[in-house]
Amino acid sequence: MQRPLRLFLTATLIDALGSGIWLPFGLLFLVHGQGFGLIEAGAALSTGGLLALATGPLTGAAMDRFGPRALLIAGNLLRLAAFCCYPLLTSAWQVVAVTLVVGVGDRLFWTCNAPMVAALTTGRDAERVLGTQTVGRFAGAGVGAAASAVLPEITSPAAFHLIAYANAATFAVAAALIWFLPPAAGVSEKDGSAGWGAVFADRPYVGFCLTQTAFTLASASKFAILPILVRDFLHGPQWIAGTAITIGTVTVVFGQHLVVRVLARYSRATGLITTAVVFAGSFALLVPVTSVSLQVAIGLILFTSVTFSLAEAMFAPLSTAVAAEAAPRGAEGRASALFQLSWGLPMALAPAVLGILLSVSGALLWTVLTATSLLAVPAVLRLKKPLIDKPSQRVSA
């Protein structure tokens, strides 16, 4: 592995650690650390995230103009500042503002990440690098899960604030590492003629981005909602959520590279269809979780933590590698910004949508997620030949 790739991968693993920490902890931090209501906190987080999505086109155009290095540094510095402000929040508009800044930093990072990986790798090596990043994100989620299991039992606000400050520190370290990348790292030759027209004219690529929203909603759902589900709806001990997310983390950390090696024997479309089916099956098993005994609910939660995490291990490297390879030449930044919108929109909507569905019925929440996951299957089949499994991407079984 070349030095620029090693340096970039180390920085993004640290970045993924910080982002992953906040995934299972955001709603819990605001509800039980800052005193917000569930729907109020979810709505504020979603509003800030949605506002941040408007910066996607600008970040894509900027990447095509300046390359990814400067934007990766800027994205980490923005999130460093924002997470230092989280413990100071006392009103919904402040949550919206800080979440907006975090979202802009996220957009900068994720818009530049896949093009940089594609520039530093060849063939399906990109999936191995992206899989390693997924390991980092789940490791972060495991740290967040441990915090979500312990901190609710502590009454000191300082204990809740510790996670926010630790998260800020990870972004500072990631920015410092990316600073040492060569200034031209990831910058490819461009003729300057490609723009948004080239991206939107590529209908299979746009269709793949739309399909991605179903996968992302599935990916963002279970571990983000689990601490609140266990505490406020199952009225069970918080160790359930912590254990479940820890099991999921271990599954990805130790199984990710094996999953990538197995998937390399098959087409990417086959892998994505398998992912959708596993997501749907996991959610279907959780439909009765709020109506059965606590012991049965614990069994369902722990078992689906394994299957859900296997789906996650398949989904992220495959879909991101497809999008990076299929991006129109000369408009990689803009194409990546559109693809990241398909990540960002479900992630931004997830706190509000999942919170509302859960407040109505746990069965409704998991039924909706089962249905949206299954909708991805016919979409992948339709895009199989024109985009996902182009001849250059196919490998023999």
Side-chain angles (χ1 to χ4, degrees):
M1 185 181 293
Q2 297 179 348
R3 183 178 180 274
L5 180 57
R6 289 198 303 270
L7 193 61
F8 171 68
L9 183 57
T10 301
T12 57
L13 284 175
I14 295 172
D15 188 303
L17 178 68
S19 299
I21 286 173
W22 202 248
L23 178 62
F25 192 69
L27 273 175
L28 197 66
F29 176 89
L30 292 176
V31 172
H32 293 286
Q34 302 299 104
F36 291 91
L38 173 59
I39 293 180
E40 180 188 22
L45 289 171
S46 291
T47 300
L50 286 170
L51 291 173
L53 294 180
T55 65
L58 296 177
T59 60
M63 204 217 84
D64 286 333
R65 173 67 178 85
F66 299 108
R69 176 178 172 270
L71 299 186
L72 286 167
I73 294 172
N76 280 296
L77 292 179
L78 281 175
R79 289 177 291 178
L80 163 63
F83 276 96
C84 286
C85 293
Y86 258 114
L88 308 178
L89 301 180
T90 58
S91 62
W93 75 264
Q94 293 173 340
V95 177
V96 172
V98 171
T99 305
L100 169 61
V101 175
V102 173
V104 171
D106 287 342
R107 298 281 67 73
L108 288 169
F109 172 80
W110 289 111
T111 295
C112 298
N113 181 61
M116 179 72 90
V117 171
L120 297 176
T121 60
T122 58
R124 297 192 70 166
D125 287 342
E127 291 167 34
R128 284 187 278 274
V129 174
L130 293 165
T132 301
Q133 290 179 337
T134 301
V135 170
R137 183 159 56 88
F138 264 73
V143 174
S148 71
V150 174
L151 290 182
E153 309 302 328
I154 302 175
T155 58
S156 170
F160 278 93
H161 298 166
L162 179 63
I163 292 294
Y165 291 130
N167 204 16
T170 64
F171 296 122
V173 175
L177 289 173
I178 293 173
W179 177 266
F180 290 104
L181 282 174
V187 179
S188 59
E189 294 291 331
K190 299 175 177 65
D191 61 17
S193 61
W196 284 109
V199 177
F200 288 113
D202 191 337
R203 295 181 65 182
Y205 187 87
V206 173
F208 182 73
C209 290
L210 291 173
T211 303
Q212 177 76 5
T213 61
F215 286 109
T216 306
L217 182 61
S219 176
S221 58
K222 182 182 175 184
F223 292 151
I225 207 72
L226 194 55
I228 290 290
L229 172 72
V230 171
R231 182 186 180 103
D232 295 344
F233 291 85
L234 298 180
H235 305 292
Q238 200 60 27
W239 67 260
I240 300 171
T243 302
I245 301 177
T246 300
I247 290 173
T249 300
V250 171
T251 300
V252 173
V253 169
F254 291 100
Q256 178 69 78
H257 293 296
L258 175 61
V259 167
V260 169
R261 286 198 299 271
V262 171
L263 289 176
R265 304 172 186 172
Y266 306 98
S267 71
R268 285 171 172 167
T270 299
L272 288 173
I273 290 170
T274 303
T275 299
V277 171
V278 175
F279 268 138
S282 300
F283 293 134
L285 286 173
L286 291 173
V287 169
V289 75
T290 53
S291 59
V292 297
S293 68
L294 181 60
Q295 290 73 20
V296 174
I298 292 172
L300 290 173
I301 289 171
L302 297 183
F303 176 76
T304 55
S305 293
V306 176
T307 57
F308 179 90
S309 298
L310 287 173
E312 178 74 20
M314 292 186 280
F315 148 68
L318 282 173
S319 61
T320 306
V322 169
E325 185 171 322
R329 295 296 153 271
E332 290 91 343
R334 291 172 173 85
S336 183
L338 180 63
F339 178 68
Q340 292 310 318
L341 180 63
S342 69
W343 279 82
L345 186 60
M347 292 291 285
L349 290 173
V353 172
L354 298 177
I356 291 171
L357 290 173
L358 182 58
S359 67
V360 174
S361 165
L364 176 64
L365 168 67
W366 305 117
T367 300
V368 169
L369 290 170
T370 301
T372 56
S373 298
L374 289 175
L375 286 175
V377 174
V380 169
L381 288 172
R382 182 176 181 84
L383 294 169
K384 184 177 187 293
K385 289 184 179 180
L387 185 137
I388 298 174
D389 285 340
K390 289 181 179 179
S392 61
Q393 294 174 331
R394 293 197 183 102
V395 293
S396 58

